[in-house]
Amino acid sequence: MVTITDIAKACGVSRATVSKALNGAPDIKAETVERIRECAKEMGYHPNAAARALKMGRSYNLGVLFSEPTGVGLTHEYFSRIFESIKAEAERLGYDITFISQNLGTMTMDYLEHTRYRSCDGVVIASADFHDPAVVRLGESDIPTVTLDYIFDSRTAILSDNIQGMEKLVRYVYEKGHRRIAFIHGELTSVTQKRLASFKKTCAALGIQVPPEYIREAAYHDPRSSALQTRALLELPNRPTCIFYPDDFSYIGGMNELERQGLQIPRQMSTVGYDGIHLSQVLRPKLTTYKQGAERMGAEAAKQLIEEIEHPDTWLPQQITVEGLLLEGGTVAEPG
Amino acid sequence: MVTITDIAKACGVSRATVSKALNGAPDIKAETVERIRECAKEMGYHPNAAARALKMGRSYNLGVLFSEPTGVGLTHEYFSRIFESIKAEAERLGYDITFISQNLGTMTMDYLEHTRYRSCDGVVIASADFHDPAVVRLGESDIPTVTLDYIFDSRTAILSDNIQGMEKLVRYVYEKGHRRIAFIHGELTSVTQKRLASFKKTCAALGIQVPPEYIREAAYHDPRSSALQTRALLELPNRPTCIFYPDDFSYIGGMNELERQGLQIPRQMSTVGYDGIHLSQVLRPKLTTYKQGAERMGAEAAKQLIEEIEHPDTWLPQQITVEGLLLEGGTVAEPG
DNA sequence: TTGTATGCGTTATCAT
DNA sequence: ATGATAACGCATACAA
């Protein structure tokens, strides 16, 4: 590896001078800077991140926390899209990414300790059990953090517009003429609660009665439970004309069940998903759904985190809501 | 941050003694070791990775290269499964993961330079353009590397059993009675070539004639091009009775096209995918496909890489083929 | 069995 | 405008 010492020798200056020249210190002659820079380039010099981290207490390394109790993890397109955009934005700003976990090899450490171990300058908490003490500890530490879809007090949070998204979907199907709308939702997380509340509120605002048996709990990303709840809805004496699913992927279960019962989508049953994953737009008919702004959420998370890291003095915690986009699709028709 | 110096003070010994005790050196009294370890635990000590990397030239950090010309990246379930398993195995063995890229911030560096910058002990090249000079340079460097689904000379490679997988699929549909089998394949990568060769060879071995118009090129992960090729196949005077798709996801395009033309799967057309992604098993009928052993591939890659890093003397490059599993599904019936 | 001294590559302070 | 020096936290060769 070529170090500043090598360059110092090659240029006949001291290591200090090299360091200064490379970092744009104001007290080196422009000519010298030029010479050293050129030499460094020629010799293929690149700084050593470890040495720099040790000396400066700054690693230019961001921790990312994706701890998924369910185990879907990055297999879920929503999260992989978020991750990809965190990564892209971080790289654009000169930061690498390290995954934060617990129990590295024989060492047992919690998330905060792992973060310290790798000298991460900050952590994006992208998906986690926010009641896990280890997660709370990280969120309450002095390490800059940004959370996604959850708010820690005095921390920046990036939020998907679940309330508005659901409202738009409900209003869309309302305008198509639907009055009997059912909602199969996922496990009761804080995100689910927002969507559920927005669903109910919007229905109320529109003067729609939602019988309690129209609200059913399934699970995210699990077509089987959605199929089951679809069947239950179809057995009701007063069937809905439109069914909302927890997300696009679990909609597949509903879709299969409807087909199995010989019901055409959307002629005999309208359907709505959530997420706007790639799959939803290659199905026929395309699924009517709400595409969350995952790319912007990830990019914003990285950007805000780095902002806090680099300008802690002028920084203020923010809650940034990222809008999504209603994808009209073709699974909602006027009820027969 | 609590350092060995803090512990040394607290225990009334020197920093060297603390270091030795913590690392299990044989020349410290058991009793002292015990005392120091306890103290370290109490004080919440964890080593500083940067300092350790600087001193030892070992970072316990693995680079991972996912450079996707297509841009699907981790959005593709095959790759996200591979990544998750690399990560899990690496963590189990005490290593963190860093994504290797080019152009970090204002610095321009190639993959090798990025690897050196972060002092990665080795790199898993999981998905890349293996003809990219930057990738070749990394593969030919002195940094330990393991490739997936591609072989670099004198390097360890983890390979999905594309040849056997395709053979099993062909034999399966053959036994179901199919003799007119078409193959819509993806872009001509080395993986595609293996599958294609195995398809042709197995057909030949079974005495099946494959007319050239049955072999069609579409693109991976792209339902639209598969839909197009499906249509082309259906327009042939002598239609196939079974269609192989590039992968499970692009099958969606074929599925839609078949439905659009009023053809029932599998009664009027049998279909076969590749990958065994989650989606394929929630469709109805379930897709007949070949599930690649992504989890074992990722785990094996991490394991082999770490083996090479930790025991370079006894290490030898290997080519490890990971078997997959034929998922029978319900999209292949006896041809009418 | 323990301690002293040194250096990994870098940046920062203070002389010169 | 440049250089000498110290320090970041750790591991290790060598001295005691």
Side-chain angles (χ1 to χ4, degrees), chain A residues 70-281:
Chain A
T70 60
V72 285
L74 294 182
T75 297
H76 197 308
E77 190 179 314
Y78 176 59
F79 291 118
S80 65
R81 277 167 61 208
I82 284 180
F83 171 71
E84 293 269 14
S85 57
I86 292 174
K87 177 167 166 281
E89 181 70 4
E91 277 172 5
R92 200 178 69 77
L93 298 172
Y95 287 74
D96 276 311
I97 297 288
T98 289
F99 275 82
I100 296 306
S101 58
Q102 311 194 69
N103 304 338
L104 198 60
T106 59
M107 307 180 253
T108 50
M109 35 187 171
D110 63 15
Y111 297 123
L112 178 58
E113 289 164 345
H114 193 165
T115 303
R116 291 243 163 78
Y117 168 62
R118 283 290 172 196
S119 313
C120 293
D121 299 331
V123 179
V124 177
I125 307 180
S127 130
D129 173 3
F130 291 96
H131 298 297
D132 179 344
V135 175
V136 173
R137 182 157 180 252
L138 176 60
E140 288 176 347
S141 75
D142 55 344
I143 306 268
T145 58
V146 169
T147 51
L148 266 76
D149 280 338
Y150 188 87
I151 300 172
F152 273 138
D153 184 56
S154 304
R155 308 252 68 147
T156 288
I158 314 294
L159 306 163
S160 189
D161 64 336
N162 286 292
I163 295 184
Q164 192 191 157
M166 183 52 78
E167 179 178 347
K168 281 189 180 165
L169 285 170
V170 173
R171 287 190 182 274
Y172 176 79
V173 305
Y174 177 86
E175 273 159 33
K176 285 281 189 172
H178 291 272
R179 297 297 180 269
R180 301 207 303 279
I181 309 170
F183 183 14
I184 301 175
H185 60 76
E187 310 90 316
L188 283 172
T189 62
S190 73
V191 165
T192 309
Q193 271 153 4
K194 280 179 196 158
R195 292 187 195 163
L196 192 50
S198 176
F199 177 85
K200 288 179 177 167
K201 186 179 170 191
T202 308
C203 284
L206 293 169
I208 300 181
Q209 293 281 351
V210 183
E213 62 270 24
Y214 274 19
I215 306 286
R216 312 195 77 93
E217 175 168 344
Y220 287 113
H221 218 245
D222 177 29
R224 226 172 56 85
S225 63
S226 279
L228 251 50
Q229 294 302 334
T230 300
R231 192 178 311 168
L233 284 172
L234 295 178
E235 282 166 359
L236 292 179
N238 190 27
R239 278 184 183 179
T241 61
C242 179
I243 304 176
F244 279 52
Y245 286 91
D247 56 71
D248 296 349
F249 192 80
S250 55
Y251 159 68
I252 301 284
M255 185 183 82
N256 290 330
E257 182 62 24
L258 291 169
E259 268 181 24
R260 214 178 59 82
Q261 303 218 10
L263 293 178
Q264 287 232 355
I265 303 170
R267 214 164 49 75
Q268 293 160 290
M269 182 61 76
S270 290
T271 54
V272 170
Y274 209 99
D275 276 355
I277 62 175
H278 192 177
L279 168 66
S280 73
Q281 298 311 295

Side-chain angles (χ1 to χ4, degrees), chain B residues 190-220:
Chain B
S190 72
V191 165
T192 309
Q193 271 153 4
K194 280 179 195 158
R195 291 186 195 164
L196 192 50
S198 176
F199 176 84
K200 289 179 177 169
K201 186 179 169 188
T202 309
C203 284
L206 293 168
I208 300 181
Q209 294 281 350
V210 184
E213 62 269 24
Y214 274 19
I215 306 289
R216 312 195 77 91
E217 176 165 344
Y220 287 113

Side-chain angles (χ1 to χ4, degrees), chain B residues 85-264:
Chain B
S85 56
I86 291 175
K87 176 166 166 283
E89 181 70 5
E91 277 171 5
R92 200 178 68 78
L93 298 172
Y95 287 73
D96 275 314
I97 297 287
T98 289
F99 275 83
I100 296 305
S101 58
Q102 311 193 71
N103 305 337
L104 199 58
T106 59
M107 306 179 251
T108 49
M109 37 186 167
D110 64 13
Y111 298 123
L112 177 57
E113 290 164 346
H114 193 166
T115 303
R116 290 245 163 77
Y117 169 63
R118 283 291 171 197
S119 313
C120 293
D121 300 330
V123 180
V124 178
I125 307 179
S127 128
D129 173 3
F130 291 96
H131 299 297
D132 180 344
V135 175
V136 173
R137 182 158 180 251
L138 176 60
E140 288 176 347
S141 75
D142 55 344
I143 306 267
T145 58
V146 169
T147 51
L148 267 76
D149 279 339
Y150 187 87
I151 301 174
F152 272 136
D153 185 56
S154 305
R155 308 252 66 145
T156 289
I158 313 293
L159 305 163
S160 189
D161 64 337
N162 286 292
I163 297 187
Q164 192 191 160
M166 183 51 77
E167 179 178 348
K168 280 188 180 164
L169 285 170
V170 173
R171 288 188 181 276
Y172 176 81
V173 305
Y174 178 86
E175 273 159 31
K176 284 281 189 175
H178 292 271
R179 298 297 179 269
R180 300 207 303 278
I181 310 170
F183 183 14
I184 300 175
H185 60 76
E187 309 89 317
L188 282 173
T189 62
S190 72
V191 165
T192 309
Q193 271 153 4
K194 280 179 195 158
R195 291 186 195 164
L196 192 50
S198 176
F199 176 84
K200 289 179 177 169
K201 186 179 169 188
T202 309
C203 284
L206 293 168
I208 300 181
Q209 294 281 350
V210 184
E213 62 269 24
Y214 274 19
I215 306 289
R216 312 195 77 91
E217 176 165 344
Y220 287 113
H221 213 64
D222 176 30
R224 224 173 57 86
S225 63
S226 279
L228 250 49
Q229 295 303 334
T230 300
R231 191 178 313 168
L233 283 172
L234 295 179
E235 283 166 1
L236 292 179
N238 190 26
R239 279 185 183 178
T241 59
C242 179
I243 303 175
F244 279 53
Y245 285 92
D247 57 69
D248 296 350
F249 192 80
S250 55
Y251 160 67
I252 302 285
M255 186 184 84
N256 290 331
E257 182 61 25
L258 291 169
E259 269 181 22
R260 213 178 59 81
Q261 303 219 10
L263 293 177
Q264 287 232 353

